[in-house]
Amino acid sequence: MFGVEKTVTYLLIVGLFAVIYQSTSCCAVVYSQEAVLKYTKQIGTKGIEQGQFNTPHSLAVDNIGNIYVGDTGNKRIQKFSPNGTFILSWGSEGSNDGQFSGLHDVAVDPEGKFVYTVELKNHRVQKFDSTGGFITKWGYNGTGGRDLMRAPHQIAINSVSNVYLTDPNGNQILKYYDNGTFIGTIGSAGTDPGKFNAPHGIAIDAKDNYYVTDMKNYRIQVFDNKDSFVRQWGSSGIEADQLSETVPGIAIDNNNHLYVVDKIKSKVQMYDNKGNYLSNWGSDGNGPQQLHKPEDIAVDNQGDIYITDTRNSRVQVLHVE
């Protein structure tokens, strides 16, 4: 009888541990799947005055929370404080130093010292200080050549000041030193891992891994700090975790949550850095918590998420809860 009691007790203990394990696993999964992107506020309205926008395409946030917006239609960069107060702006239409034509992206280096801009029509990168003072340029109207920069789209800077630039027309990533000296290319046209079909958005994490929206391959590709392919995920479709052929913007936060802007769906999709789907936010429209053809996304050190709501000529701010 004693042997039977021991057996029953053992089975009860095993069963109890199994329940605890399953409950813990369940809760962890449910927590990640229930991540909520909550609307916080709006910055700007449509217009030409300081603090207003005309189809802003891009934005970046520096290490202390200042916000730089590529105000494409107004041919300028606007800078705001962390609370959204206008600070300054620079730029005008043209191809001279400090002017813009086809302003498509803006980025800030990790230390917040330098601002980089990308122009489709001038086929170039410009580098400024944090107050808009011109430093240098490269590309078609600069020190490089148009054969190396064909309508570049987005730019990102890693911790050692290497500059990565997406080249959708060339189906590659262009890599430079921060003075514009060309280093080399990553990728080529194709569907295999490490190849691209219209790469557009790029984001770099704290370990200098970088994430690329490979738009017409309907996927995200990840590369390490040696420019080697690491992983990929994504597929074409209308489901919450699937991608359309227009996913121009991408950002990663300090917790390795990845945010992707889906322009056609007018949504933001959230993943972990392994590609596991977590959440999404948005619907098409011009209401206070809707998006219309959003283009870019950035995250500050506090976890606030900024989106260029391009066709609504405003920036919307979210937070993860």
Side-chain angles (χ1 to χ4, degrees), residues 15-224:
L16 179 61
F17 274 103
V19 169
I20 293 172
Y21 174 78
Q22 290 174 356
S23 299
T24 304
S25 300
C26 172
C27 292
V29 172
V30 169
Y31 176 79
S32 67
Q33 293 298 323
E34 290 184 350
V36 176
L37 299 174
K38 185 177 180 181
Y39 171 82
T40 302
K41 62 183 178 182
Q42 171 181 317
I43 299 173
T45 56
K46 184 175 178 62
I48 62 173
E49 303 299 326
Q50 304 285 31
Q52 294 183 318
F53 304 117
N54 182 2
T55 57
H57 269 68
S58 57
L59 51 71
V61 183
D62 68 17
N63 58 335
I64 59 173
N66 294 313
I67 307 150
Y68 297 82
V69 180
D71 186 9
T72 303
N74 288 323
K75 289 86 176 178
R76 65 188 177 186
I77 301 294
Q78 295 200 65
K79 181 178 180 179
F80 299 82
S81 71
N83 65 8
T85 301
F86 172 80
I87 298 175
L88 58 86
S89 70
W90 72 90
S92 60
E93 173 71 27
S95 58
N96 293 328
D97 297 348
Q99 294 184 317
F100 303 109
S101 182
L103 176 61
H104 198 76
D105 197 25
V106 59
V108 184
D109 74 298
E111 295 182 356
K113 293 181 178 179
F114 304 111
V115 179
Y116 297 78
T117 62
V118 178
E119 299 165 76
L120 294 179
K121 294 181 181 179
N122 283 330
H123 302 275
R124 68 179 180 182
V125 171
Q126 293 193 75
K127 181 180 179 181
F128 303 88
D129 64 27
S130 61
T131 63
F134 175 82
I135 297 174
T136 190
K137 64 186 176 184
W138 65 91
Y140 183 52
N141 285 349
T143 58
R146 192 171 183 177
D147 59 328
L148 297 180
M149 197 175 293
R150 293 163 290 185
H153 274 57
Q154 287 206 359
I155 191 169
I157 301 90
N158 70 10
S159 65
V160 294
S161 298
N162 290 327
V163 178
Y164 291 84
L165 186 67
T166 58
D167 177 16
N169 290 336
N171 290 305
Q172 61 190 354
I173 308 297
L174 307 174
K175 185 176 180 181
Y176 301 86
Y177 293 113
D178 63 345
N179 63 0
T181 301
F182 182 66
I183 298 174
T185 63
I186 300 97
S188 59
T191 59
D192 293 336
K195 294 188 176 183
F196 300 109
N197 187 359
H200 193 130
I202 184 167
I204 300 178
D205 68 17
K207 295 182 179 179
D208 285 340
N209 302 303
Y210 55 98
Y211 303 74
V212 181
T213 60
D214 186 11
M215 290 204 307
K216 292 186 179 180
N217 281 327
Y218 305 96
R219 64 186 177 186
I220 308 299
Q221 294 203 66
V222 187
F223 299 80
D224 64 19

